Amino acid sequence: MKVFSTSAEIYTHVLRERLEGKRVGLVPTMGALHEGHVSLVRQAKSVCDRAVATIFVNPTQFGPKEDLSKYPRTLNEDLEKLDQAGCDYVFTPAELQMYGEGHSTYVEPPQVASRWEGEIRPGHFRGVCTIVLKLFQMIPADIAYLGRKDYQQLAVIRAMVRDLNIPVCIEACETIREPDGLAMSSRNRYLSHEQRHRALGLIRALRIAERLVERGERDVQAVESAMRQELLAAPVDSIDYAAIVDPVTLEPIAEIESSVVAIIAARLGSTRLIDNATIIARR
Ligand code: AMP
């Protein structure tokens, strides 16, 4: 596994592989890697000739009061995990490499970024779109592997790729969970033992939503209120949202007709967790 820290080096290497006819898969991450990230690398390796991972804690996607400075940084362990997963190249740029002096160009996020995370974290998707577009330029991959865990981020990046004609395919990968159902997240390590226990309210609320729809419930408000009840019973400390939305636009829907997504963001102490589930309503 080769590790690069400049865009010129990674670009040259990846371009050469592409010109030789190799298929290249890209896995962008912020590090503090867990089995969810590793699964993306494995999927990239199972389809592509080369897997490239990036590790960069992107400052422009954090708000002024968010956890940028305490975001976990575990580079040595990350490199070990990537190597074991069969990753070929890792790009670990310094901040100045990504945002050089005078950097002042940003991507205006698509419509699908406006609600939910976009509303609660102003500027977040502007930072995400900007860094992801920059990574796509520096690493001309065939396929980018993204997790469904960050469902809105996935929808935002899909829309950006479509709208800006970026020549990369987006592959959505399943959420990897702990045995008890908690979605793996770099932020889980902030949870105390008892917060970790209460965090299971998120997966329980998603399962309740699934079960209700499976049993024929089509009223959005009924499902949303059952999700909230489950979260409050956990109890989580606060709920940012617990909603049933359209899987493509992420707009609220009036009635459950076919496929919907249940999305949740909730806080435990100062830790904010998100999770989601795609639910198919059978006729
Ligand atoms: P992050 O490092 O948190 O920015 O995430 C990097 C990539 O890993 C994103 O595409 C995430 O959606 C994905 N990811 C994070 N957690 C998981 C998980 N539990 N299962 C699958 N993919 C994940």
Side-chain angles (χ1 to χ4, degrees):
M1 187 175 79
K2 288 201 177 101
V3 182
F4 299 110
S5 56
T6 69
S7 61
E9 281 174 311
I10 189 79
Y11 180 76
T12 312
H13 265 78
V14 172
L15 192 61
R16 192 181 305 139
E17 300 275 17
R18 288 290 304 270
L19 293 173
E20 285 172 4
K22 302 268 191 320
R23 198 187 278 186
V24 176
L26 170 65
V27 179
T29 82
M30 297 208 298
L33 302 184
H34 50 64
E35 208 32 54
H37 299 113
V38 170
S39 78
L40 304 185
V41 175
R42 288 209 197 94
Q43 285 186 61
K45 272 305 270 195
S46 70
V47 172
C48 301
D49 303 297
R50 299 283 181 268
V52 184
T54 69
I55 300 178
F56 180 64
V57 183
N58 174 35
T60 64
Q61 71 187 69
F62 288 78
K65 292 189 191 133
E66 292 183 2
D67 57 349
L68 172 63
S69 62
K70 70 166 194 154
Y71 196 85
R73 287 158 172 89
T74 58
L75 186 59
N76 290 340
E77 288 103 306
D78 291 351
L79 294 177
E80 183 69 32
K81 286 178 187 165
L82 291 172
D83 197 22
Q84 277 179 14
C87 188
D88 298 285
Y89 301 126
V90 188
F91 181 46
T92 59
E95 192 174 330
L96 258 181
Q97 184 64 218
M98 298 309 276
Y99 297 104
E101 209 176 309
H103 183 288
S104 61
T105 308
Y106 291 86
V107 176
E108 168 82 13
Q111 178 65 29
V112 68
S114 52
R115 286 181 194 268
W116 318 118
E117 294 302 290
E119 205 171 318
I120 288 159
R121 306 180 67 187
H124 172 66
F125 284 126
R126 177 181 187 254
V128 168
C129 287
T130 303
I131 198 67
V132 171
L133 178 59
K134 285 166 75 74
L135 289 171
F136 285 165
Q137 304 276 27
M138 293 174 182
I139 304 167
D142 295 84
I143 308 175
Y145 292 82
L146 305 176
R148 297 178 76 89
K149 155 80 170 47
D150 300 278
Y151 191 89
Q152 190 175 14
Q153 172 173 281
L154 173 66
V156 165
I157 294 173
R158 274 193 196 288
M160 176 179 78
V161 163
R162 180 198 63 203
D163 294 350
L164 300 184
N165 309 91
I166 305 170
V168 67
C169 294
I170 301 296
E171 189 66 37
C173 304
E174 285 313 310
T175 301
I176 304 298
R177 299 179 179 281
E178 301 287 354
D180 60 9
L182 182 69
M184 288 193 184
S185 163
S186 306
R187 291 185 168 97
N188 288 351
R189 69 189 72 199
Y190 300 148
L191 299 170
S192 69
H193 184 70
E194 69 86 29
Q195 287 172 336
R196 167 75 181 68
H197 183 70
R198 292 193 283 124
L200 293 176
L202 277 83
I203 183 66
R204 274 199 219 110
L206 293 173
R207 285 181 180 150
I208 292 256
E210 276 167 352
R211 216 171 307 140
L212 282 173
V213 175
E214 239 164 56
R215 288 182 189 161
E217 182 61 79
R218 295 294 177 262
D219 178 6
V220 171
Q221 278 183 5
V223 178
E224 288 180 349
S225 104
M227 286 165 63
R228 284 182 167 276
Q229 263 179 35
E230 195 62 36
L231 289 166
L232 295 174
V236 299
D237 293 320
S238 64
I239 303 172
D240 282 351
Y241 54 80
I244 300 290
V245 301
D246 179 278
V248 177
T249 64
L250 271 75
E251 290 294 315
I253 49 172
E255 202 177 317
I256 300 170
E257 280 174 353
S258 50
S259 172
V260 296
V261 183
I263 54 171
I264 293 178
R267 292 174 201 257
L268 293 123
S270 57
T271 305
R272 187 169 179 277
L273 299 180
I274 59 171
D275 202 351
N276 68 86
T278 298
I279 306 178
I280 316 271
R282 297 185 204 289
R283 284 164 204 275

